[in-house]
Amino acid sequence: MMTQPYTVDLTNCDREPIHIPGSIQPHGVLLAFDTNLSVLLRHSSNAADMLGVSVANEMASDVLLGGALVHTLRNAVATMTDARRPVLIFNETLTSGKAFDISVHRHRSNVIVEFEPARSEIESPLRLTRSLIGRISSIENTDTLFQQAARLIRGMLGYDRVMIYQFERDGSGKVISEMKRADLESFLGQYFPATDIPQQARTLYLRNTIRVIADSSYKSVPLEPVVDLSGEPLDLSFSHLRSVSPIHCEYLRNMGVSASMSISIIIDGELWGLIACHHYSPRTMPMALRVAAEMFGEFFSLHLHALRQKRKLDTAARARSYLDGMLRLGSTGDVGEFLRDNMLDLGQLLPNDGFGLYIDGRWHAHGATPSPAEIPPLARFVTSISEGRIWATHSLSRHFPEAENYYQLAAGLLAIPLSQLPRDYLFFFRKELVQTLNWAGNPSKSYESGPLGDRLTPRKSFAIWKESVHRQAQPWTDEEREVAEASRASLVEVVLRHNEIMAEERAKADVRQRMLNEELNHRVKNILAVIKSLVGQPIHEGRSLKDYVGSLKGRIQALSFAHDQVIRGDGGGALVDLLNAELTPYRGNGATIAFDGPGISLDTRAFSVMALVLHELATNAAKYGSLSTAGAELSISWQISSSGDCIINWHESGGPIVNPPERTGFGTALLDRSIPYDLGGESDVDYAREGLRARFLLPAKHVRVTPDALASRVGLTAETQNRHAALLPNESLILLLEDQMLIAMDVESMLSDRGFANVIVTNSMNEALLIMRSQTPDAAILDINLGKDTSIPVAEELTRRGIPFVFATGYGESSIIPESLNSAPVVRKPYEIETVLDALSTAIAGKQG
């Protein structure tokens, strides 16, 4: 508990309790009453002389001041809500006949009444304030506001110098606007160290927004008593007459200043700066003017805050507008690639000497920046201190010693994190800017021991002290930080939007993959079920195992072709292709095969069903009907009905006499039931003695007319097939290149059955080429895909030698065949010997022209 006045000495000057000085300035009187304003508890020692009445503690207030004034004061206190806004009473005459301006406020357990001699010639403070406010309310530029405010305050109050003083981030202050007497040196642009205004003074500036010193050489007037019986000093935080620190008065005297007034500029609850007024002779500022200046200061703060907010919004709106465009462009695709593609535009957001994008551990930069190897450590450092927010410094090496290696390129840094989990950044760099700061005296020697014994003497020299600053860049302004913040929000939104899109795409891809797997599983099961059904058909009495195997192979071949056509045709295929596939093997037996009908494309389901139906019809015709006898005819025609259905007619003639089947086997059931059951169509088979006739109706939903799908592929004659077969004598040397042993054995066996004994089988491209060095085949069958290799080099060698060949493939497409080899026939697995021989004949005919 304080029991005596605080003594400022060398050890405690920075903790001086300036709000309880125990004294006031001599241009007024202070009386402190109890909370009911009934009894005087303390008074300044000059009270009796200045007020002209007898003053003693414990006096009744109405005795001291008169009942009428006490009544007025009590009413004022009753209406007061905040000690920071004392009630003011102007030109009140006391019982002594002296007139005073009175300020009264209640703080804690005291009602404090301050008296200052009235100045009746002063204009009403409200009128003065309105006049000043009217002159700055329309200003929309902060620089203009600073200049006008200094000019108006000096014009109204008459101080020799009025300055707008702004605090920097390090606590120092800079004079940003000044109006002064012509003969005075200018402080404009000079810096004052943070120690010139101690922290406790800054705190008091927030509580009491105006502070006046009438005479820096004044002799303070003590309160009586300084401390009460409980040892408490009187808190004068809101007093106008509060005595100020003797150190500060000495500071002012060293500057040559005799009187001063400071008005707080408070923005968002923070002390932004001061309106500082200096006078070079004692000057007592009347209460009315002081109050007008205080109200002006409050409006100035509000107006400055509004302008800063407007500028912030304008800046944010511009940045937002620009980045919205980026957001729209960046809503799809790879965000890293998008940002890198727009690097130059990002670089326009802030003034800089270099900038770079560090994303996914990759560095892309423009202008003057550290080397790529120096970026990862810098990013880790920024992550450790920025907490996911904008981080900026104009002296990077002070915070990050490794930056000493490149301070000339990057003395300043502003980092914008690109995600909520910071690992990617947009960095802006500024080069070192060697500059000279003008300090109002040496800032590192603010105080020195002086002639007053143990007391400190403020620095005396306010001559400009120049400091050359190295390893620092042009500081980042508040506006630039605001642009960076707006940019961060938009860029994070771009990244988040991209991540959402990628998540959606991944989810869609997963669904597609699952659907594909399910569909594939469904199809495989269906195929296996069909094959199981085909294999499971019993062998009819009198039928050999060889016939059974041949029939089974043919049906599976038909399914294979249908499946292959469906895949290659993107679902379904042409009817004429299906007919050619089924009937081509029989064109060389002397029968005539004729097609007639428009181009028809069948969907996947109809194509598979018709593959089995046509295979069954062709097989039966080859065994028992028109395809088994030379000179017979098979005519197939189709047309589209008025309802869009496809009607197919199968007509055999000139063949053996047809006998209807004695019982219904699998093939008969397939012809009769598959189309009605699977497609909802119709099937009508007539086993007429002169030749089988069949009529099938495929519903319109399964067919599509394709005008270009007819003619050219219809109707290769039996004579043409015979000619092709004649081109490949049985003694021909055939090279078979096939990497699957079982398939190679199967083909070799089929060729052997047809009388071809000279077949060279190999399973590798290199071996085939080696064989061709010593032997020259007459024709070749080349499996395109050999696992690690292809047969293309062999085909090229065969082409170079003019040897005919065919490609074989088990794939649905032949995209790996070079364009130069496109003319080679292609047969598809599983092989049918007729198809292979026909393809080889076609290839030989092509070589012979």
Side-chain angles (χ1 to χ4, degrees), residues 126-139 148 151-152 296 299 303:
L126 180 58
R127 190 176 304 156
L128 283 171
T129 304
R130 291 183 61 186
S131 176
L132 293 176
I133 289 175
R135 284 172 167 78
I136 67 169
S137 60
S138 60
I139 295 176
Q148 284 292 90
R151 186 179 66 80
L152 291 172
F296 175 80
F299 181 81
H303 194 53

Side-chain angles (χ1 to χ4, degrees), residues 618-652:
T619 301
N620 288 337
K623 291 180 178 178
Y624 315 113
S626 60
L627 298 182
S628 65
T629 304
E633 294 184 1
L634 170 61
S635 173
I636 304 146
S637 63
W638 61 92
Q639 64 273 341
I640 300 296
S641 69
S642 59
S643 58
D645 300 331
C646 177
I647 299 173
I648 302 172
N649 290 295
W650 179 284
H651 186 193
E652 299 180 28

Side-chain angles (χ1 to χ4, degrees), residues 216-285:
S216 61
S217 299
Y218 75 89
K219 184 177 180 180
S220 61
V221 180
L223 297 178
E224 294 180 0
V226 173
V227 295
D228 61 15
L229 294 177
S230 63
E232 287 292 331
L234 185 62
D235 189 336
L236 298 181
S237 293
F238 304 104
S239 168
H240 287 191
L241 296 174
R242 174 176 56 83
S243 189
V244 299
S245 169
I247 291 181
H248 185 69
C249 287
E250 195 167 346
Y251 176 93
L252 292 176
R253 292 196 296 271
N254 289 339
M255 294 181 69
V257 175
S258 296
S260 74
M261 181 176 74
S262 298
I263 305 170
S264 303
I265 303 173
I266 300 172
I267 294 180
D268 280 339
E270 301 287 338
L271 188 63
W272 181 90
L274 296 171
I275 300 175
C277 307
H278 288 175
H279 207 67
Y280 292 86
S281 62
R283 181 180 181 81
T284 300
M285 183 57 55

Side-chain angles (χ1 to χ4, degrees), residues 42 59 122 143 231 243 303 332 370 388 455 478 509 579 581 598 625 665 679 696 717 731 740 758 766 785 805 841:
R42 307 184 208 223
M59 284 183 66
I122 302 301
D143 292 337
S243 189
H303 194 53
T332 59
R455 290 220 21 245
D478 290 342
L579 289 168
L679 305 180
F696 306 106
T717 65
E731 61 271 21
Q740 297 293 321
N758 301 319
N766 290 330
N785 194 323
F805 65 91
S841 297

Side-chain angles (χ1 to χ4, degrees), residues 7 62 95 159 173-174 446 570 586 622 636 638 655 669 840:
T7 302
D62 52 353
T95 55
Y159 279 98
K174 181 182 180 182
S446 298
D570 193 22
Y586 309 113
I636 304 146
W638 61 92
L840 284 173

Side-chain angles (χ1 to χ4, degrees), residues 735-741 743-744 760-770 772 781-796 798 806-811 816-817 829 831:
L735 172 64
L736 173 60
L737 175 55
E738 169 62 61
D739 64 332
Q740 297 293 321
M741 182 186 69
I743 296 177
I760 306 173
V761 180
T762 180
N763 63 353
S764 75
M765 176 264 293
N766 290 330
E767 187 175 344
L769 292 173
L770 186 62
M772 289 172 63
I781 303 170
L782 307 178
D783 184 10
I784 298 175
N785 194 323
L786 301 175
K788 294 182 179 179
D789 301 314
T790 70
S791 61
I792 300 302
V794 179
E796 291 173 342
L798 292 169
V806 298
F807 281 122
T809 178
Y811 293 88
I816 61 175
I817 300 176
K829 301 178 182 178
Y831 296 114

Side-chain angles (χ1 to χ4, degrees), residues 30 48 205 217 223 232 240 312 437 462 560-561 645 679 726:
L30 186 144
Y205 275 125
S217 299
L223 297 178
E232 287 292 331
H240 287 191
K312 180 178 181 179
L437 297 182
F462 286 86
S560 173
F561 173 77
D645 300 331
L679 305 180

